[in-house]
Coordinates of all heavy atoms in Angstrom, one line a residue:
M2 N 7.4 38.8 -32.5 CA 8.4 38.4 -33.5 C 7.9 37.3 -34.3 O 7.1 36.4 -33.9 CB 9.6 37.9 -32.7 CG 10.7 37.3 -33.6 SD 12.2 36.9 -32.9 CE 12.8 38.5 -32.5
D3 N 8.2 37.3 -35.6 CA 7.8 36.2 -36.5 C 8.8 35.1 -36.5 O 9.7 35.0 -37.3 CB 7.7 36.9 -37.9 CG 7.0 35.9 -38.9 OD1 6.7 34.8 -38.5 OD2 6.8 36.3 -40.1
Y4 N 8.6 34.2 -35.6 CA 9.5 33.0 -35.4 C 9.5 32.1 -36.7 O 10.5 31.6 -37.0 CB 9.1 32.2 -34.2 CG 9.4 32.9 -32.9 CD1 8.4 33.6 -32.2 CD2 10.7 33.0 -32.4 CE1 8.7 34.2 -31.0 CE2 11.0 33.7 -31.3 CZ 9.9 34.3 -30.5 OH 10.2 35.0 -29.4
E5 N 8.3 32.0 -37.3 CA 8.3 31.2 -38.5 C 9.2 31.7 -39.6 O 9.9 30.9 -40.2 CB 6.8 31.1 -39.0 CG 6.6 30.1 -40.1 CD 5.2 29.8 -40.4 OE1 4.3 30.3 -39.7 OE2 4.9 29.2 -41.5
K6 N 9.2 33.0 -39.8 CA 10.1 33.6 -40.8 C 11.6 33.4 -40.4 O 12.4 33.1 -41.2 CB 9.8 35.1 -40.9 CG 10.6 35.8 -42.0 CD 10.2 37.2 -42.1 CE 11.0 37.9 -43.2 NZ 10.7 39.3 -43.3
V7 N 11.9 33.6 -39.1 CA 13.2 33.4 -38.6 C 13.7 32.0 -38.9 O 14.8 31.7 -39.4 CB 13.4 33.7 -37.1 CG1 14.7 33.3 -36.6 CG2 13.1 35.2 -36.9
I8 N 12.8 31.0 -38.6 CA 13.2 29.6 -38.8 C 13.4 29.3 -40.2 O 14.3 28.6 -40.6 CB 12.2 28.7 -38.1 CG1 12.3 28.8 -36.6 CG2 12.3 27.3 -38.5 CD1 11.2 28.2 -35.8
H9 N 12.5 29.7 -41.1 CA 12.6 29.5 -42.5 C 13.9 30.1 -43.0 O 14.6 29.5 -43.9 CB 11.4 30.0 -43.3 CG 10.3 29.1 -43.4 ND1 10.4 27.9 -44.2 CD2 9.1 29.1 -42.9 CE1 9.3 27.2 -44.1 NE2 8.4 27.9 -43.3
T10 N 14.3 31.3 -42.6 CA 15.5 31.9 -43.0 C 16.7 31.0 -42.6 O 17.7 30.9 -43.4 CB 15.7 33.3 -42.4 OG1 14.6 34.1 -42.7 CG2 17.0 33.9 -42.8
L11 N 16.7 30.3 -41.5 CA 17.8 29.5 -41.0 C 17.8 28.1 -41.7 O 18.9 27.6 -42.0 CB 17.7 29.3 -39.5 CG 17.9 30.5 -38.6 CD1 17.5 30.2 -37.2 CD2 19.3 31.1 -38.8
I12 N 16.6 27.5 -41.9 CA 16.6 26.1 -42.4 C 16.5 25.9 -43.9 O 16.9 24.9 -44.4 CB 15.5 25.3 -41.6 CG1 14.1 25.7 -42.0 CG2 15.7 25.3 -40.1 CD1 13.1 24.8 -41.5
D13 N 15.9 26.9 -44.6 CA 15.7 26.7 -46.0 C 16.9 26.4 -46.8 O 16.9 25.5 -47.7 CB 14.9 27.9 -46.6 CG 13.5 27.9 -46.3 OD1 13.0 27.0 -45.6 OD2 12.8 28.9 -46.6
P14 N 18.1 27.0 -46.5 CA 19.3 26.6 -47.3 C 19.8 25.2 -47.0 O 20.6 24.6 -47.7 CB 20.3 27.7 -46.8 CG 19.6 28.8 -46.3 CD 18.3 28.2 -45.7
I15 N 19.4 24.6 -45.9 CA 19.9 23.3 -45.4 C 19.2 22.2 -46.1 O 19.7 21.1 -46.3 CB 19.8 23.2 -43.9 CG1 20.7 24.3 -43.2 CG2 20.3 21.9 -43.4 CD1 20.5 24.4 -41.7
I16 N 17.8 22.4 -46.3 CA 17.0 21.2 -46.7 C 16.7 21.2 -48.2 O 16.9 22.2 -48.8 CB 15.7 21.2 -45.8 CG1 14.9 22.5 -46.0 CG2 16.0 21.0 -44.4 CD1 13.6 22.6 -45.3
D17 N 16.2 20.1 -48.6 CA 15.9 19.9 -50.1 C 14.5 20.4 -50.4 O 14.3 20.9 -51.5 CB 16.0 18.5 -50.5 CG 17.4 18.0 -50.6 OD1 18.3 18.9 -50.8 OD2 17.6 16.8 -50.5
A18 N 13.5 20.3 -49.5 CA 12.1 20.6 -49.8 C 11.6 21.6 -48.8 O 10.7 21.3 -47.9 CB 11.3 19.3 -49.8
P19 N 12.0 22.9 -48.9 CA 11.5 23.9 -47.9 C 10.0 24.1 -48.0 O 9.4 24.5 -47.0 CB 12.3 25.1 -48.2 CG 12.9 24.9 -49.5 CD 13.0 23.5 -49.8
E20 N 9.4 23.9 -49.2 CA 8.0 24.1 -49.3 C 7.2 23.1 -48.6 O 6.0 23.3 -48.3 CB 7.6 24.1 -50.8 CG 7.8 22.8 -51.5 CD 9.2 22.4 -51.9 OE1 10.1 23.3 -51.8 OE2 9.4 21.3 -52.3
S21 N 7.7 22.0 -48.2 CA 7.0 20.9 -47.5 C 7.1 21.0 -45.9 O 6.6 20.2 -45.2 CB 7.4 19.5 -47.9 OG 8.7 19.3 -47.5
V22 N 7.9 22.0 -45.5 CA 8.1 22.1 -44.0 C 6.9 22.7 -43.4 O 6.3 23.7 -43.9 CB 9.3 23.0 -43.7 CG1 9.5 23.3 -42.3 CG2 10.6 22.3 -44.3
L23 N 6.5 22.1 -42.2 CA 5.4 22.6 -41.4 C 5.9 23.1 -40.1 O 6.6 22.4 -39.4 CB 4.3 21.5 -41.2 CG 3.2 21.8 -40.3 CD1 2.3 22.8 -40.9 CD2 2.4 20.5 -40.0
I24 N 5.6 24.3 -39.7 CA 6.0 24.9 -38.5 C 4.8 25.2 -37.6 O 4.0 26.0 -38.1 CB 6.9 26.1 -38.7 CG1 8.2 25.8 -39.5 CG2 7.3 26.8 -37.4 CD1 9.0 26.9 -39.9
R25 N 4.7 24.7 -36.4 CA 3.7 24.9 -35.5 C 4.2 25.6 -34.3 O 5.2 25.2 -33.7 CB 3.0 23.6 -35.0 CG 2.4 22.8 -36.1 CD 0.9 23.0 -36.1 NE 0.3 22.4 -37.3 CZ -0.8 21.8 -37.3 NH1 -1.4 21.6 -36.2 NH2 -1.2 21.3 -38.4
I26 N 3.6 26.8 -33.9 CA 4.1 27.5 -32.8 C 2.9 27.6 -31.8 O 1.8 27.9 -32.1 CB 4.4 29.0 -33.2 CG1 5.5 28.9 -34.3 CG2 4.8 29.8 -32.0 CD1 5.8 30.2 -34.9
S27 N 3.3 27.3 -30.5 CA 2.2 27.3 -29.5 C 2.8 27.8 -28.2 O 4.1 27.8 -28.0 CB 1.7 25.8 -29.3 OG 2.7 25.0 -28.8
E28 N 2.0 28.3 -27.3 CA 2.4 28.8 -26.0 C 2.8 27.6 -25.1 O 2.2 26.5 -25.2 CB 1.3 29.6 -25.4 CG 0.9 30.9 -26.1 CD 2.0 31.9 -26.0 OE1 2.7 32.0 -25.0 OE2 2.2 32.6 -27.0
G29 N 3.8 27.8 -24.3 CA 4.2 26.8 -23.4 C 3.4 26.8 -22.1 O 2.4 27.4 -22.0
S30 N 3.9 26.1 -21.1 CA 3.2 26.0 -19.8 C 3.1 27.3 -19.1 O 2.2 27.6 -18.3 CB 3.9 24.9 -19.0 OG 5.3 25.3 -18.8
S31 N 4.1 28.2 -19.3 CA 4.0 29.5 -18.7 C 4.0 30.6 -19.9 O 4.2 30.2 -21.0 CB 5.2 29.8 -17.8 OG 6.4 30.1 -18.6
D32 N 3.7 31.8 -19.5 CA 3.5 32.8 -20.6 C 4.9 33.2 -21.2 O 4.9 33.9 -22.2 CB 2.8 34.0 -20.0 CG 3.5 34.7 -18.9 OD1 4.4 34.0 -18.3 OD2 3.2 35.8 -18.6
K33 N 6.0 32.8 -20.6 CA 7.3 33.1 -21.1 C 7.8 32.0 -22.1 O 8.9 32.2 -22.6 CB 8.3 33.3 -20.0 CG 8.0 34.6 -19.2 CD 9.1 34.9 -18.3 CE 8.9 36.2 -17.6 NZ 10.1 36.7 -17.0
D34 N 7.1 30.9 -22.2 CA 7.6 29.7 -23.0 C 6.9 29.7 -24.3 O 5.7 30.0 -24.4 CB 7.3 28.4 -22.3 CG 8.2 28.2 -21.1 OD1 9.3 28.8 -21.0 OD2 7.9 27.4 -20.2
I35 N 7.6 29.4 -25.3 CA 7.1 29.2 -26.7 C 7.6 27.9 -27.2 O 8.8 27.6 -27.2 CB 7.5 30.3 -27.6 CG1 7.0 31.7 -27.2 CG2 7.1 30.0 -29.1 CD1 7.5 32.8 -28.0
N36 N 6.7 27.0 -27.7 CA 7.1 25.7 -28.2 C 6.9 25.8 -29.7 O 5.9 26.2 -30.2 CB 6.2 24.6 -27.7 CG 6.3 24.4 -26.2 OD1 7.4 24.5 -25.7 ND2 5.2 24.2 -25.5
I37 N 8.0 25.4 -30.4 CA 8.0 25.4 -31.9 C 8.3 23.9 -32.4 O 9.3 23.3 -32.0 CB 9.0 26.4 -32.4 CG1 8.7 27.8 -32.0 CG2 9.0 26.3 -34.0 CD1 9.8 28.8 -32.4
L38 N 7.4 23.4 -33.2 CA 7.5 22.1 -33.8 C 7.8 22.3 -35.2 O 7.1 23.0 -36.0 CB 6.2 21.3 -33.6 CG 6.2 19.9 -34.2 CD1 7.2 19.0 -33.6 CD2 4.8 19.4 -34.1
I39 N 8.9 21.7 -35.7 CA 9.2 21.7 -37.1 C 9.1 20.3 -37.7 O 9.7 19.4 -37.2 CB 10.7 22.2 -37.3 CG1 10.9 23.6 -36.7 CG2 11.1 22.1 -38.8 CD1 12.3 24.0 -36.7
V40 N 8.2 20.2 -38.6 CA 7.9 18.9 -39.2 C 8.3 18.9 -40.7 O 8.0 19.9 -41.4 CB 6.4 18.5 -39.2 CG1 6.2 17.1 -39.7 CG2 5.9 18.6 -37.7
A41 N 9.2 18.0 -41.1 CA 9.7 18.0 -42.5 C 9.8 16.5 -43.0 O 9.5 15.6 -42.2 CB 11.1 18.6 -42.5
E42 N 10.2 16.4 -44.2 CA 10.4 15.0 -44.8 C 11.5 14.4 -44.0 O 12.4 15.0 -43.3 CB 10.8 15.2 -46.2 CG 9.8 15.8 -47.2 CD 8.5 15.0 -47.3 OE1 8.6 13.7 -47.1 OE2 7.5 15.6 -47.5
K43 N 11.5 13.0 -44.0 CA 12.5 12.3 -43.2 C 13.9 12.7 -43.4 O 14.7 12.9 -42.5 CB 12.3 10.8 -43.4 CG 13.0 9.9 -42.5 CD 12.7 8.4 -42.7 CE 13.4 7.6 -41.7 NZ 13.0 6.2 -41.8
E44 N 14.3 12.8 -44.7 CA 15.7 13.1 -45.0 C 16.0 14.6 -44.6 O 17.1 14.8 -44.1 CB 15.9 13.0 -46.6 CG 15.8 11.6 -47.1 CD 14.3 11.3 -47.4 OE1 13.4 12.2 -47.5 OE2 14.0 10.1 -47.4
D45 N 15.1 15.5 -44.7 CA 15.3 16.9 -44.3 C 15.4 16.9 -42.8 O 16.2 17.7 -42.2 CB 14.2 17.8 -44.8 CG 14.4 18.0 -46.3 OD1 15.5 17.9 -46.8 OD2 13.4 18.4 -46.9
T46 N 14.6 16.2 -42.1 CA 14.7 16.1 -40.6 C 16.0 15.7 -40.2 O 16.6 16.2 -39.2 CB 13.6 15.2 -40.0 OG1 12.3 15.7 -40.4 CG2 13.6 15.3 -38.5
S47 N 16.6 14.7 -40.8 CA 17.9 14.2 -40.5 C 18.9 15.3 -40.7 O 19.9 15.4 -39.9 CB 18.3 13.0 -41.4 OG 17.4 11.9 -41.2
R48 N 18.8 16.1 -41.8 CA 19.7 17.2 -42.0 C 19.6 18.2 -40.9 O 20.6 18.8 -40.5 CB 19.4 17.8 -43.4 CG 20.0 17.0 -44.5 CD 19.8 17.8 -45.8 NE 20.1 16.9 -46.9 CZ 19.2 16.2 -47.6 NH1 17.9 16.3 -47.3 NH2 19.6 15.5 -48.6
L49 N 18.3 18.5 -40.5 CA 18.1 19.5 -39.5 C 18.7 19.1 -38.1 O 19.1 20.0 -37.4 CB 16.6 19.9 -39.4 CG 16.0 20.6 -40.6 CD1 14.5 20.7 -40.4 CD2 16.7 22.0 -40.7
I50 N 18.7 17.9 -37.8 CA 19.2 17.4 -36.6 C 20.7 17.3 -36.6 O 21.4 17.7 -35.7 CB 18.6 16.0 -36.2 CG1 17.1 16.2 -35.9 CG2 19.3 15.4 -35.0 CD1 16.3 15.0 -35.7
G51 N 21.2 16.8 -37.7 CA 22.7 16.8 -37.9 C 23.3 15.6 -37.1 O 22.7 15.0 -36.3
R52 N 24.6 15.4 -37.4 CA 25.3 14.4 -36.7 C 25.5 14.7 -35.2 O 26.1 15.7 -34.9 CB 26.7 14.2 -37.4 CG 27.3 12.9 -37.2 CD 28.5 12.7 -38.1 NE 28.0 12.2 -39.4 CZ 28.9 11.8 -40.3 NH1 30.1 11.9 -40.1 NH2 28.4 11.4 -41.5
G53 N 25.0 13.8 -34.4 CA 25.1 14.1 -33.0 C 24.2 15.2 -32.5 O 24.4 15.7 -31.4
G54 N 23.3 15.7 -33.3 CA 22.4 16.8 -32.9 C 23.1 18.2 -33.0 O 22.6 19.2 -32.5
S55 N 24.2 18.3 -33.7 CA 25.0 19.5 -33.8 C 24.2 20.6 -34.5 O 24.2 21.8 -34.0 CB 26.3 19.3 -34.5 OG 26.1 18.8 -35.8
I56 N 23.5 20.3 -35.6 CA 22.8 21.4 -36.3 C 21.5 21.8 -35.4 O 21.2 23.0 -35.3 CB 22.4 20.9 -37.7 CG1 23.7 20.8 -38.5 CG2 21.5 21.9 -38.4 CD1 23.5 20.3 -39.9
A57 N 20.9 20.8 -34.9 CA 19.7 21.1 -34.1 C 20.1 22.0 -32.9 O 19.4 22.9 -32.6 CB 19.1 19.8 -33.6
N58 N 21.2 21.7 -32.2 CA 21.6 22.5 -31.1 C 21.9 23.9 -31.6 O 21.6 24.9 -30.9 CB 22.8 21.9 -30.4 CG 22.4 20.7 -29.6 OD1 21.3 20.5 -29.2 ND2 23.4 19.8 -29.4
A59 N 22.6 24.1 -32.7 CA 22.9 25.4 -33.2 C 21.6 26.2 -33.6 O 21.5 27.4 -33.3 CB 23.8 25.3 -34.5
L60 N 20.6 25.5 -34.2 CA 19.3 26.1 -34.5 C 18.6 26.5 -33.2 O 18.1 27.6 -33.1 CB 18.4 25.2 -35.3 CG 18.9 24.9 -36.7 CD1 18.1 23.8 -37.3 CD2 18.8 26.2 -37.6
R61 N 18.7 25.7 -32.2 CA 18.0 26.0 -30.9 C 18.7 27.2 -30.3 O 18.0 28.1 -29.7 CB 18.1 24.8 -29.9 CG 17.2 23.7 -30.3 CD 17.2 22.6 -29.2 NE 16.3 21.6 -29.6 CZ 16.7 20.4 -30.0 NH1 18.0 20.0 -30.1 NH2 15.8 19.5 -30.3
E62 N 20.0 27.3 -30.4 CA 20.7 28.5 -29.8 C 20.3 29.8 -30.5 O 20.1 30.8 -29.9 CB 22.2 28.2 -29.9 CG 23.0 29.3 -29.2 CD 22.8 29.3 -27.7 OE1 22.5 28.3 -27.1 OE2 23.0 30.4 -27.1
M63 N 20.3 29.7 -31.8 CA 19.9 30.9 -32.6 C 18.5 31.4 -32.3 O 18.2 32.6 -32.2 CB 20.2 30.7 -34.1 CG 21.7 30.7 -34.4 SD 22.0 30.7 -36.2 CE 21.9 29.0 -36.5
V64 N 17.6 30.4 -32.3 CA 16.2 30.8 -32.0 C 16.0 31.3 -30.6 O 15.2 32.2 -30.3 CB 15.2 29.6 -32.4 CG1 13.8 29.9 -32.0 CG2 15.3 29.3 -33.8
S65 N 16.8 30.7 -29.7 CA 16.7 31.1 -28.3 C 17.2 32.6 -28.2 O 16.6 33.4 -27.4 CB 17.6 30.2 -27.5 OG 17.7 30.7 -26.1
V66 N 18.2 32.9 -28.9 CA 18.7 34.3 -28.8 C 17.6 35.3 -29.4 O 17.4 36.3 -28.8 CB 20.0 34.5 -29.7 CG1 20.4 35.9 -29.9 CG2 21.1 33.8 -29.0
A67 N 16.9 34.9 -30.4 CA 15.8 35.7 -31.0 C 14.7 35.8 -29.9 O 14.1 36.9 -29.8 CB 15.3 35.0 -32.2
G68 N 14.4 34.7 -29.2 CA 13.4 34.8 -28.2 C 13.8 35.7 -27.0 O 12.9 36.3 -26.4
K69 N 15.1 35.8 -26.7 CA 15.5 36.6 -25.6 C 15.2 38.1 -25.8 O 15.1 38.9 -24.8 CB 17.0 36.4 -25.3 CG 17.2 35.1 -24.6 CD 18.7 34.8 -24.3 CE 18.9 33.4 -24.1 NZ 19.3 33.0 -22.8
T70 N 15.0 38.5 -27.0 CA 14.7 39.9 -27.3 C 13.3 40.2 -26.8 O 13.0 41.4 -26.5 CB 14.8 40.2 -28.8 OG1 13.8 39.4 -29.5 CG2 16.2 40.0 -29.4
E71 N 12.5 39.2 -26.7 CA 11.1 39.4 -26.2 C 11.0 38.8 -24.7 O 9.9 38.6 -24.2 CB 10.1 38.7 -27.1 CG 10.0 39.3 -28.4 CD 8.9 38.6 -29.3 OE1 8.7 37.4 -29.1 OE2 8.3 39.3 -30.1
N72 N 12.1 38.4 -24.1 CA 12.1 37.8 -22.8 C 11.3 36.5 -22.8 O 10.5 36.2 -21.9 CB 11.5 38.8 -21.8 CG 12.2 38.7 -20.4 OD1 13.3 38.1 -20.4 ND2 11.6 39.3 -19.4
K73 N 11.5 35.7 -23.8 CA 10.8 34.4 -24.0 C 11.8 33.3 -24.0 O 13.0 33.4 -24.5 CB 10.0 34.4 -25.3 CG 9.0 35.4 -25.4 CD 7.7 35.0 -24.7 CE 6.6 36.1 -25.0 NZ 5.4 35.8 -24.4
R74 N 11.4 32.1 -23.6 CA 12.2 30.9 -23.7 C 11.6 30.1 -24.9 O 10.4 29.7 -24.8 CB 12.2 30.0 -22.4 CG 13.0 30.7 -21.3 CD 12.9 29.7 -20.1 NE 11.5 29.6 -19.7 CZ 11.1 29.9 -18.5 NH1 11.9 30.4 -17.6 NH2 9.8 29.7 -18.2
V75 N 12.4 29.8 -25.9 CA 11.9 29.1 -27.0 C 12.4 27.6 -27.0 O 13.6 27.4 -26.8 CB 12.4 29.8 -28.3 CG1 11.9 29.1 -29.5 CG2 12.0 31.2 -28.3
H76 N 11.5 26.7 -27.2 CA 11.8 25.3 -27.2 C 11.5 24.7 -28.6 O 10.4 24.9 -29.1 CB 11.0 24.5 -26.2 CG 11.1 25.1 -24.8 ND1 12.1 24.8 -24.0 CD2 10.3 25.9 -24.2 CE1 12.0 25.4 -22.8 NE2 10.9 26.1 -22.9
L77 N 12.5 24.1 -29.3 CA 12.4 23.7 -30.6 C 12.4 22.2 -30.6 O 13.2 21.5 -30.0 CB 13.7 24.1 -31.4 CG 13.6 24.6 -32.8 CD1 12.5 25.6 -33.0 CD2 14.9 25.1 -33.3
K78 N 11.5 21.6 -31.4 CA 11.4 20.1 -31.5 C 11.2 19.8 -33.0 O 10.6 20.5 -33.8 CB 10.1 19.6 -30.8 CG 10.0 18.1 -30.7 CD 8.8 17.7 -29.9 CE 8.6 16.2 -30.0 NZ 7.5 15.7 -29.3
F79 N 11.9 18.7 -33.4 CA 11.9 18.2 -34.8 C 11.2 16.9 -34.9 O 11.4 16.0 -34.1 CB 13.3 18.1 -35.3 CG 14.1 19.3 -35.2 CD1 14.9 19.6 -34.0 CD2 14.2 20.2 -36.2 CE1 15.6 20.8 -34.0 CE2 14.9 21.4 -36.1 CZ 15.6 21.7 -35.0
E80 N 10.4 16.8 -36.0 CA 9.7 15.5 -36.3 C 9.7 15.4 -37.8 O 9.8 16.4 -38.5 CB 8.2 15.5 -35.8 CG 8.2 15.4 -34.3 CD 6.7 15.2 -33.8 OE1 5.8 15.0 -34.6 OE2 6.6 15.2 -32.6
S81 N 9.4 14.2 -38.3 CA 9.3 13.9 -39.7 C 7.9 13.4 -40.0 O 7.2 12.9 -39.2 CB 10.4 12.9 -40.2 OG 10.2 11.7 -39.5
F82 N 7.5 13.7 -41.3 CA 6.2 13.2 -41.7 C 6.2 11.7 -41.7 O 7.2 11.1 -42.1 CB 5.9 13.7 -43.1 CG 5.6 15.2 -43.2 CD1 6.5 16.0 -43.9 CD2 4.5 15.7 -42.6 CE1 6.3 17.4 -44.0 CE2 4.3 17.1 -42.6 CZ 5.2 17.9 -43.3
E83 N 5.1 11.1 -41.4 CA 5.0 9.6 -41.3 C 4.8 9.1 -42.8 O 4.0 9.7 -43.5 CB 3.9 9.1 -40.5 CG 4.1 9.5 -39.0 CD 5.2 8.7 -38.4 OE1 5.4 7.5 -38.7 OE2 5.9 9.3 -37.6
E84 N 5.5 8.0 -43.1 CA 5.2 7.4 -44.5 C 4.0 6.5 -44.4 O 3.9 5.8 -43.4 CB 6.5 6.6 -44.9 CG 7.6 7.5 -45.2 CD 8.9 6.8 -45.6 OE1 8.7 5.6 -46.0 OE2 9.9 7.3 -45.7
E85 N 3.2 6.6 -45.4 CA 2.0 5.7 -45.4 C 2.1 4.6 -46.4 O 2.8 4.6 -47.3 CB 0.8 6.6 -45.8 CG 0.5 7.6 -44.7 CD -0.8 8.4 -45.0 OE1 -1.6 7.9 -45.9 OE2 -1.0 9.5 -44.5

């Protein structure tokens, strides 16, 4: 499954700069785990997390459902680019 495409479909309407989003996908500690790191601008990261983490939890749930089609557990983490 193309998790990057799924995530872009979900987050691009929410954020201001979808072209600056970096998505890293790696295998987890077991072969059934997938770790996904979403790195965006500070303001966009705040939008993706949402008030009280509500948007982040909704995104995690939707990506988790997509992972279940392949019998995988998907873990989503959000970070922002560091300002220099």
Side-chain angles (χ1 to χ4, degrees):
M2 174 172 293
D3 189 357
Y4 290 102
E5 188 169 349
K6 184 177 179 181
V7 170
I8 290 170
H9 272 293
T10 301
L11 294 171
I12 69 171
D13 284 357
I15 300 172
I16 59 177
D17 287 337
E20 66 280 351
S21 68
V22 172
L23 175 67
I24 299 174
R25 298 259 171 137
I26 301 171
S27 63
E28 294 293 323
S30 56
S31 75
D32 59 343
K33 291 188 175 196
D34 289 338
I35 297 175
N36 297 321
I37 301 176
L38 174 66
I39 300 174
V40 185
E42 298 295 331
K43 188 173 184 177
E44 298 81 23
D45 286 340
T46 301
S47 297
R48 282 188 191 93
L49 290 174
I50 294 172
R52 204 170 273 189
S55 60
I56 295 176
N58 288 336
L60 290 170
R61 286 185 179 110
E62 185 66 29
M63 288 190 273
V64 174
S65 175
V66 169
K69 288 181 195 244
T70 62
E71 295 183 328
N72 217 16
K73 303 274 184 177
R74 287 182 301 239
V75 181
H76 306 279
L77 218 54
K78 184 177 176 183
F79 301 91
E80 288 186 8
S81 60
F82 291 115
E83 295 293 323
E84 294 182 10
E85 294 184 19

